[in-house]
Amino acid sequence: MTTERFEHIVERVSGVILGKKPQIRLALACLFAGGHLLIEDRPGIGKTTLAKALARCLGLAFQRVQFTSDMLPGDILGVSIFDQNAGSFSFHPGPIFTQVLLVDEINRGMPKTQSALLEAMEEGQVTVEGETRRLIPPFFVIATQNPLEYAGTFPLPESQMDRFLMRINVGYPGRSAEKAILQGGGTQKKLSGIKPCMTKEDVTEIQEKISAVHLSDTFLEYLQNIVHYTRNSPHFHIGLSPRAGIALAMAARSWAYMHGREYAVPEDLKKVLFQVAGHRLRSRNDRMEIQEARLMTLFSEVPVPV
Amino acid sequence: MDDKKEYIPSILLALFVAMLPHLTDLPLWVVVWCAFMWAYVLVCMKYNRPPPGRLVRNLLAVIGIVGLLLTYRIRIDASAYISLLALMAAIKPLEISTHRDRMITVFLAYFIVITSLLQSETLLAAVYMFISVLVTTAVLVHINDPEGRLRDQFRLSAIILAQAVPVMLALFFLFPRMEGSLVGFTRSGSGITGFSETLRPGGVSRLVEDNSVAFRVEFEADIPDVHHLYWRGIVFVHFDGTSWRYERRLREAADPAGMADHASTYRVTLEPHHSRWLFAMDFPVQIPDSGRMHDDFTVTSQSPVSRTMRYEMKSDIRDHTGETDFPGDAYIRLPVSGNPESRTLAKRLSANKTDTADIVNSVLNYFRDHDFVYTLTPPLAGRNPVDDFLFESRRGYCEHYASAFAFLMRSAGVPARVVGGYQGGEINPYGNYLIVRQSYAHAWTEVWDQDRGWLRVDPTNVVSPGRIASGPEGGLAPGELAGFADKYLAPFSAFIRQARYGWDAFSKNWQAWFEGYSYEQQKAFLERLGISYSYLTGPLLLLMAGIFSVFLFIGAYLFLQLRGKTELPDNVKKRYKQFLQKMSRAGVEKRPGEGPVEFAEKASCTRPDLESFVREITDLYIMLRYSPIPGDDAYLRFEKAVKKFAPMPMRKKQNRSTVKGAKHTDIKKYKKI
């Protein structure tokens, strides 16, 4: 039942961004797990389109911020402006007061602006001018970024990276998908044609169900094997944090639930492993990120408890 | 209830091996009962019939106990206990349904093994006990690890046994020995030939064909000449015309010590014979503490000899006791009538003679001159057995000669008595000791004379000097004792003799160390180690209390740990590993990093023929391992599926041709992950 429901969303989104069903599934898993999503790829691949399509499909309020190097925290969080009629300051909420915030090109913003997102992402609240305001759940940040080597970027600090549950790469479309893109009438029209297939309440309900997905002792043992492996293996600079462990558990739960099960199996974890752990790990040798194939080969050594 | 039948044959094997040494001791109906029950269990298993219900089993138990009560009444000895165990061990397999039942039945087998000690402590019995413990432990291993190989199970069992040996030795040497027999009941004495307490014609010759050992003797110095080796057991005083009886009211000897011109010290290892007589060489002067010497120079122990007994004695080698008082009228008393011709003969031979020696000589000469034959098969005696023997048949064995001689002496007015015991013995070259077998049983006579006291006279020696010089076979006509061995194995007889002596020396040492290890020996052993026995009991009690409380703690801990846990999760692991083993034999190996679903996908690609089995097992496994509520029968179904799963080994050709076609369809099955 649930599987079909999710597949339905996947179908819809992939009507806009063609040939990227695996990425769409992962992105959905991330959002239903209640996590923030980082989409990383070269410009023009369709990162923004994917983010927009997802937001529309889920029927959530949507705001978009384009990060630039001159952007200030107030541009996102909102500012108090003196109202001459009322004779007092009144707060003008920024774009963050929404349900899905698309932060485009997040690594073009200054670190100061980037860290303005931290509190919102972690705690679901913002503090402006000494006053704390709650964000109405569900609240997601979908950020896109260009690969680090591109000009004019400020790399996200590790603490910021750790806030994103998943990072996914979109990648070039396949040959036939690209042909269809070329034949089609442009993305904008299709995007505006997407109708939401669930409500805010549906999303909350699904999130609750996902957090109830059972993780057996054997599963947790495997998860711990993975986490300990990254901490003890000579291949990694720093091992996975407990927060990363929680992220792995949540993502696996979400993946399991989306595939119609109320318990997670090691394969669920493996499917989301690179997306959850990839941006949190660095190679010990060159402090660079590890390629997916290499990372999965390393993880395939971790024994699954029988 | 898991109702696994495949263990039953091995459990029955353990019971059977444990029971085997008892089969001859138990009443026939108990043996038949066991055989019937076990056969019935096997038949039930073969044809998949349900075993009898609780009512039938209870009824069988009641019937068995009533049968035992009828058989043994109040005579509760070792055999009765073993019979009870056997009866229950026969019924128990009928109700084996759970693992616990299987364990209990195997422990029952251990129990039966240990009861062997109630019957016999010989070396052979001990070796057999080791074998049965080995088998029983292997069965115990088997029912806990049914997939293991037989060889490994026996090896593990042997390792456990070997590890237990030091503990066994420590307990054997240090655990306080109980005086008296184990648990207070005596061994059943059936089937043991021993010296009988009445002497009648034919009583001793029966023993001649019995080659078993009566006792063994080690001498401190050289072994005396065979003519001195008269081992006295019982002195027969009362004659009723056919048989001789011993004096029941024996008086204790005043003071045996004092005369020791040709003293010889020796150590006797006496096999159990279930009466109180201890055998001593003529004439004992110093006896063991636990024995009592009587005024007829016989020695008895305080209780019947029901276990192998070792004692040290000192004897003065001579053929007369030395001056004693006139023993009394009992020694010249004869029945009022009967054997008239013998009485006449006695009168005639003793006429005009006053010296006892002369009378003895004339009677011995009579035996020598009248063609008496020494034989095992004398004709049956009639109403006047002495007359018949002396004048009709003149064929007889030692008891005939001793009895007739004593009769003649009493008729002539000379005090005389018959002594029953053993004469001679084989010297075992391995260990230089003497083996006295039942076949050396002998009877001789003693006559009283004023100067020399009781004088030993052996009429058999006159008739058949070979009996004394070269053992029981020497005195007989050739062929009279020839058995199978002599007829067919003559060429090997020297070798067989050697082997027999070797074995005897071996088991003598066994007896000395194991069977004869008594309270006194233990005391001596500990004292040699510098530990006083009384000093030891306190710490030993403390130690036992300590061990007991440790076990109590472990028990309580296990109880608290296991309370509420019905199924141990490890079973799932065990079964899944079995499945992986089978798969590996079928050509699909699981890497440790592979999850169950990945493995199932891979397996389905490699072996599309096994796909449905692999799917079923994997699904159940995932349910059991990862789902919060696997369902009540999930484990049973899983176990059954794994057991049933028997893949054909992979054939290379078939494999290559099917992989490609299979790939697409199989991955689809698991697409949901």
Side-chain angles (χ1 to χ4, degrees), chain B residues 326 328-334 409-416:
Chain B
F326 176 69
D329 287 339
Y331 292 90
I332 47 174
R333 194 173 292 145
L334 285 174
M409 292 315 280
R410 285 193 181 183
S411 300
V414 180

PDB file of all heavy atoms in Angstrom, chain B residues 326 328-334 409-416:
ATOM      1  N   PHE B 326      43.606 -82.213  75.440  1.00  0.00           N
ATOM      2  CA  PHE B 326      42.671 -83.092  74.748  1.00  0.00           C
ATOM      3  C   PHE B 326      41.476 -82.254  74.287  1.00  0.00           C
ATOM      4  O   PHE B 326      40.872 -81.533  75.084  1.00  0.00           O
ATOM      5  CB  PHE B 326      42.217 -84.209  75.692  1.00  0.00           C
ATOM      6  CG  PHE B 326      41.200 -85.098  75.085  1.00  0.00           C
ATOM      7  CD1 PHE B 326      41.545 -85.956  74.044  1.00  0.00           C
ATOM      8  CD2 PHE B 326      39.872 -85.081  75.538  1.00  0.00           C
ATOM      9  CE1 PHE B 326      40.597 -86.785  73.480  1.00  0.00           C
ATOM     10  CE2 PHE B 326      38.925 -85.911  74.961  1.00  0.00           C
ATOM     11  CZ  PHE B 326      39.286 -86.781  73.932  1.00  0.00           C
ATOM     12  N   GLY B 328      38.459 -82.840  73.363  1.00  0.00           N
ATOM     13  CA  GLY B 328      37.094 -83.073  73.797  1.00  0.00           C
ATOM     14  C   GLY B 328      36.455 -84.199  73.010  1.00  0.00           C
ATOM     15  O   GLY B 328      36.935 -84.601  71.944  1.00  0.00           O
ATOM     16  N   ASP B 329      35.340 -84.658  73.526  1.00  0.00           N
ATOM     17  CA  ASP B 329      34.671 -85.815  72.930  1.00  0.00           C
ATOM     18  C   ASP B 329      34.105 -85.532  71.548  1.00  0.00           C
ATOM     19  O   ASP B 329      33.882 -86.446  70.768  1.00  0.00           O
ATOM     20  CB  ASP B 329      33.528 -86.269  73.843  1.00  0.00           C
ATOM     21  CG  ASP B 329      34.092 -86.954  75.080  1.00  0.00           C
ATOM     22  OD1 ASP B 329      35.264 -87.397  75.006  1.00  0.00           O
ATOM     23  OD2 ASP B 329      33.377 -86.998  76.093  1.00  0.00           O
ATOM     24  N   ALA B 330      33.860 -84.270  71.257  1.00  0.00           N
ATOM     25  CA  ALA B 330      33.266 -83.933  69.951  1.00  0.00           C
ATOM     26  C   ALA B 330      34.128 -84.452  68.814  1.00  0.00           C
ATOM     27  O   ALA B 330      33.619 -84.755  67.731  1.00  0.00           O
ATOM     28  CB  ALA B 330      33.118 -82.430  69.819  1.00  0.00           C
ATOM     29  N   TYR B 331      35.411 -84.600  69.053  1.00  0.00           N
ATOM     30  CA  TYR B 331      36.311 -84.974  67.963  1.00  0.00           C
ATOM     31  C   TYR B 331      36.441 -86.487  67.797  1.00  0.00           C
ATOM     32  O   TYR B 331      37.147 -86.941  66.910  1.00  0.00           O
ATOM     33  CB  TYR B 331      37.683 -84.328  68.192  1.00  0.00           C
ATOM     34  CG  TYR B 331      37.598 -82.834  68.048  1.00  0.00           C
ATOM     35  CD1 TYR B 331      37.314 -82.025  69.130  1.00  0.00           C
ATOM     36  CD2 TYR B 331      37.760 -82.255  66.788  1.00  0.00           C
ATOM     37  CE1 TYR B 331      37.191 -80.666  68.980  1.00  0.00           C
ATOM     38  CE2 TYR B 331      37.647 -80.883  66.639  1.00  0.00           C
ATOM     39  CZ  TYR B 331      37.364 -80.089  67.737  1.00  0.00           C
ATOM     40  OH  TYR B 331      37.233 -78.742  67.581  1.00  0.00           O
ATOM     41  N   ILE B 332      35.791 -87.256  68.680  1.00  0.00           N
ATOM     42  CA  ILE B 332      35.761 -88.705  68.427  1.00  0.00           C
ATOM     43  C   ILE B 332      34.320 -89.190  68.281  1.00  0.00           C
ATOM     44  O   ILE B 332      34.068 -90.361  68.106  1.00  0.00           O
ATOM     45  CB  ILE B 332      36.467 -89.515  69.548  1.00  0.00           C
ATOM     46  CG1 ILE B 332      35.995 -89.032  70.912  1.00  0.00           C
ATOM     47  CG2 ILE B 332      37.982 -89.416  69.415  1.00  0.00           C
ATOM     48  CD1 ILE B 332      36.545 -89.903  72.045  1.00  0.00           C
ATOM     49  N   ARG B 333      33.416 -88.214  68.288  1.00  0.00           N
ATOM     50  CA  ARG B 333      32.005 -88.594  68.211  1.00  0.00           C
ATOM     51  C   ARG B 333      31.655 -88.987  66.782  1.00  0.00           C
ATOM     52  O   ARG B 333      32.101 -88.355  65.819  1.00  0.00           O
ATOM     53  CB  ARG B 333      31.147 -87.413  68.643  1.00  0.00           C
ATOM     54  CG  ARG B 333      29.697 -87.780  68.931  1.00  0.00           C
ATOM     55  CD  ARG B 333      28.960 -86.605  69.512  1.00  0.00           C
ATOM     56  NE  ARG B 333      29.441 -86.271  70.840  1.00  0.00           N
ATOM     57  CZ  ARG B 333      29.521 -85.005  71.302  1.00  0.00           C
ATOM     58  NH1 ARG B 333      29.166 -83.997  70.529  1.00  0.00           N
ATOM     59  NH2 ARG B 333      29.967 -84.781  72.533  1.00  0.00           N
ATOM     60  N   LEU B 334      30.858 -90.086  66.698  1.00  0.00           N
ATOM     61  CA  LEU B 334      30.378 -90.534  65.388  1.00  0.00           C
ATOM     62  C   LEU B 334      28.889 -90.810  65.518  1.00  0.00           C
ATOM     63  O   LEU B 334      28.392 -90.966  66.631  1.00  0.00           O
ATOM     64  CB  LEU B 334      31.103 -91.819  64.982  1.00  0.00           C
ATOM     65  CG  LEU B 334      32.550 -91.681  64.521  1.00  0.00           C
ATOM     66  CD1 LEU B 334      33.150 -93.055  64.295  1.00  0.00           C
ATOM     67  CD2 LEU B 334      32.649 -90.845  63.264  1.00  0.00           C
ATOM     68  N   MET B 409      39.683 -92.762  61.778  1.00  0.00           N
ATOM     69  CA  MET B 409      40.443 -92.363  62.947  1.00  0.00           C
ATOM     70  C   MET B 409      39.538 -92.249  64.167  1.00  0.00           C
ATOM     71  O   MET B 409      39.882 -92.692  65.250  1.00  0.00           O
ATOM     72  CB  MET B 409      41.147 -91.019  62.702  1.00  0.00           C
ATOM     73  CG  MET B 409      42.253 -91.057  61.665  1.00  0.00           C
ATOM     74  SD  MET B 409      43.365 -92.442  61.820  1.00  0.00           S
ATOM     75  CE  MET B 409      44.431 -91.902  63.132  1.00  0.00           C
ATOM     76  N   ARG B 410      38.378 -91.673  63.963  1.00  0.00           N
ATOM     77  CA  ARG B 410      37.470 -91.548  65.106  1.00  0.00           C
ATOM     78  C   ARG B 410      36.995 -92.915  65.569  1.00  0.00           C
ATOM     79  O   ARG B 410      36.864 -93.145  66.773  1.00  0.00           O
ATOM     80  CB  ARG B 410      36.273 -90.668  64.728  1.00  0.00           C
ATOM     81  CG  ARG B 410      36.652 -89.214  64.673  1.00  0.00           C
ATOM     82  CD  ARG B 410      35.423 -88.346  64.612  1.00  0.00           C
ATOM     83  NE  ARG B 410      35.847 -86.932  64.540  1.00  0.00           N
ATOM     84  CZ  ARG B 410      34.991 -85.918  64.538  1.00  0.00           C
ATOM     85  NH1 ARG B 410      33.688 -86.131  64.568  1.00  0.00           N
ATOM     86  NH2 ARG B 410      35.440 -84.676  64.491  1.00  0.00           N
ATOM     87  N   SER B 411      36.763 -93.811  64.602  1.00  0.00           N
ATOM     88  CA  SER B 411      36.332 -95.152  64.966  1.00  0.00           C
ATOM     89  C   SER B 411      37.402 -95.815  65.810  1.00  0.00           C
ATOM     90  O   SER B 411      37.128 -96.612  66.698  1.00  0.00           O
ATOM     91  CB  SER B 411      36.080 -95.992  63.720  1.00  0.00           C
ATOM     92  OG  SER B 411      35.092 -95.390  62.943  1.00  0.00           O
ATOM     93  N   ALA B 412      38.678 -95.478  65.508  1.00  0.00           N
ATOM     94  CA  ALA B 412      39.777 -96.070  66.248  1.00  0.00           C
ATOM     95  C   ALA B 412      40.040 -95.312  67.544  1.00  0.00           C
ATOM     96  O   ALA B 412      40.998 -95.622  68.254  1.00  0.00           O
ATOM     97  CB  ALA B 412      41.032 -96.082  65.387  1.00  0.00           C
ATOM     98  N   GLY B 413      39.240 -94.292  67.808  1.00  0.00           N
ATOM     99  CA  GLY B 413      39.381 -93.559  69.061  1.00  0.00           C
ATOM    100  C   GLY B 413      40.376 -92.433  69.028  1.00  0.00           C
ATOM    101  O   GLY B 413      40.743 -91.881  70.061  1.00  0.00           O
ATOM    102  N   VAL B 414      40.823 -92.080  67.845  1.00  0.00           N
ATOM    103  CA  VAL B 414      41.767 -90.972  67.749  1.00  0.00           C
ATOM    104  C   VAL B 414      40.978 -89.698  67.400  1.00  0.00           C
ATOM    105  O   VAL B 414      40.230 -89.700  66.426  1.00  0.00           O
ATOM    106  CB  VAL B 414      42.817 -91.237  66.648  1.00  0.00           C
ATOM    107  CG1 VAL B 414      43.793 -90.066  66.548  1.00  0.00           C
ATOM    108  CG2 VAL B 414      43.543 -92.524  66.915  1.00  0.00           C
ATOM    109  N   PRO B 415      41.135 -88.587  68.138  1.00  0.00           N
ATOM    110  CA  PRO B 415      40.449 -87.352  67.756  1.00  0.00           C
ATOM    111  C   PRO B 415      40.886 -86.890  66.369  1.00  0.00           C
ATOM    112  O   PRO B 415      42.086 -86.847  66.089  1.00  0.00           O
ATOM    113  CB  PRO B 415      40.882 -86.345  68.824  1.00  0.00           C
ATOM    114  CG  PRO B 415      41.326 -87.189  69.977  1.00  0.00           C
ATOM    115  CD  PRO B 415      41.880 -88.456  69.399  1.00  0.00           C
ATOM    116  N   ALA B 416      39.918 -86.611  65.529  1.00  0.00           N
ATOM    117  CA  ALA B 416      40.249 -86.235  64.153  1.00  0.00           C
ATOM    118  C   ALA B 416      39.240 -85.203  63.671  1.00  0.00           C
ATOM    119  O   ALA B 416      38.117 -85.137  64.157  1.00  0.00           O
ATOM    120  CB  ALA B 416      40.207 -87.458  63.237  1.00  0.00           C
TER     121      ALA B 416
END
